[in-house]
Amino acid sequence: MKKPLKQTLRNSLQDCKRYPDNRDALTRILPLVRQEYKVRTQRQSIPFGEFLLRQIAFLGKRVWFSQALLLFLLCLLVNTGYNIRSGITRLTFVPFLLGCCSVILLTAAVPMLYRSVRFQMLETEAATHFSVSRLLLARLCIIGSGDLVMLGALLLFAVQKSGLSPGGILLYLLVPFLLTASGYLTILAHMAYRFFPYLGSAMSACLLAGLCYLKKWQPAFYGHTFTPGWGMVCLILLLFCMWQVKTISRRDRFIEGRFRLG
């Protein structure tokens, strides 16, 4: 609210309180109220693309630098796993490591998505003209683009280093990644936001435990390659992720503890 309007409103309300029939105060304030209302109705909302570019300038560099550092550590982990194993054990251990890396890629994004609550800024963001859903979608776009680049880099590194088939490497990177992403997006779309780090971390731990179980008790699982059947599974998971993102985008209002449709 502009300063002249605030001052006039304060003075006029004081006059109205002293003199209830003082029409002069109302006469002075009405033109300013109409002017302010006209200005507010003429404001145009920022398209999501422009809003995303602003968020990239504000948050992108820090997120992508963190992801680049994580990518270096994961490549070092895969390289170490390749060197310490030999023969038949390498054929199962390296795919197992790749599956774990794809889960870790998204697990590392939990603090970035939860930073509003962690720094107690959620109420401030909710009070702005931009909905929390748009902020969340922008962060998902920034983090997701970095994760896709990291996934591609891991794929190229593993193909060059391990000598495994590109189809097998793609399978053990992509399926755990899409499973983790679908779980995270489901939590964000339907669960309480304050529970996200706990539920997301628990889900990642369960996926890692499942990969360990397959390695120990079903090692033949790590001998598969990317087939049309697995491609269909990945397509279903991808469509499910897109559906959850659409659900998040439709939630215009946010209340701590739960989402509510606007």
Side-chain angles (χ1 to χ4, degrees):
M1 190 180 294
K2 297 181 180 179
K3 188 175 180 180
L5 177 59
K6 290 176 64 176
Q7 187 63 36
T8 305
L9 181 60
R10 184 183 296 109
N11 296 336
S12 300
L13 290 176
Q14 290 175 354
D15 292 341
C16 288
K17 187 175 181 180
R18 295 174 188 172
Y19 311 103
D21 296 331
N22 189 351
R23 296 184 176 276
D24 183 58
L26 295 175
T27 303
R28 293 199 309 269
I29 197 174
L30 282 176
L32 293 174
V33 171
R34 292 193 183 98
Q35 181 181 355
E36 182 69 16
Y37 176 77
K38 184 178 180 180
V39 170
R40 286 181 177 272
T41 55
Q42 291 177 348
R43 290 178 180 173
Q44 297 181 352
S45 61
I46 299 176
F48 181 73
E50 183 179 348
F51 177 67
L52 178 59
L53 291 176
R54 295 186 182 185
Q55 287 296 307
I56 290 175
F58 174 69
L59 188 65
K61 293 181 180 179
R62 286 178 290 177
V63 171
W64 290 334
F65 176 78
S66 301
Q67 290 178 323
L69 180 61
L70 177 62
L71 175 63
F72 173 77
L73 296 176
L74 293 179
C75 289
L76 185 63
L77 176 64
V78 173
N79 184 62
T80 303
Y82 177 79
N83 291 330
I84 65 176
R85 296 298 179 102
S86 61
I88 192 67
T89 59
R90 180 185 293 170
L91 298 178
T92 59
F93 190 69
V94 174
F96 163 72
L97 279 182
L98 292 174
C100 293
C101 288
S102 64
V103 175
I104 294 172
L105 282 181
L106 286 172
T107 307
V110 171
M112 303 176 193
L113 291 172
Y114 192 66
R115 65 196 306 270
S116 299
V117 178
R118 185 159 50 96
F119 293 114
Q120 299 181 352
M121 292 295 293
L122 182 62
E123 292 81 3
T124 303
E125 291 182 352
T128 62
H129 290 290
F130 306 111
S131 67
V132 176
S133 297
R134 295 186 73 188
L135 287 168
L136 181 59
L137 285 174
R139 289 170 184 161
L140 287 174
C141 290
I142 294 171
I143 295 171
S145 61
D147 284 340
L148 290 178
V149 172
M150 294 170 68
L151 208 63
L154 272 175
L155 174 64
L156 295 177
F157 178 79
V159 169
Q160 182 180 9
K161 182 65 181 178
S162 67
L164 298 174
S165 65
I169 295 173
L170 179 63
L171 172 65
Y172 297 115
L173 280 175
L174 195 58
V175 172
F177 180 84
L178 290 175
L179 279 173
T180 310
S182 60
Y184 279 8
L185 292 172
T186 301
I187 295 171
L188 290 172
H190 302 285
M191 303 293 182
Y193 193 38
R194 65 176 182 272
F195 298 144
F196 171 68
Y198 311 108
L199 295 175
S201 301
M203 190 198 69
S204 296
C206 290
L207 287 173
L208 291 174
L211 292 173
C212 291
Y213 172 82
L214 291 173
K215 177 182 176 298
K216 186 174 182 179
W217 301 105
Q218 301 291 334
F221 172 78
Y222 293 102
H224 291 90
T225 188
F226 199 85
T227 61
W230 282 114
M232 183 62 64
V233 171
C234 293
L235 179 61
I236 293 173
L237 289 173
L238 181 61
L239 292 175
F240 181 78
C241 290
M242 295 172 62
W243 179 43
Q244 297 304 321
V245 170
K246 188 176 181 180
T247 302
I248 295 174
S249 67
R250 286 179 174 178
R251 298 183 179 275
D252 298 327
R253 298 189 61 189
F254 181 89
I255 297 176
E256 172 55 20
R258 62 187 179 92
F259 273 112
R260 186 177 74 184
L261 291 177

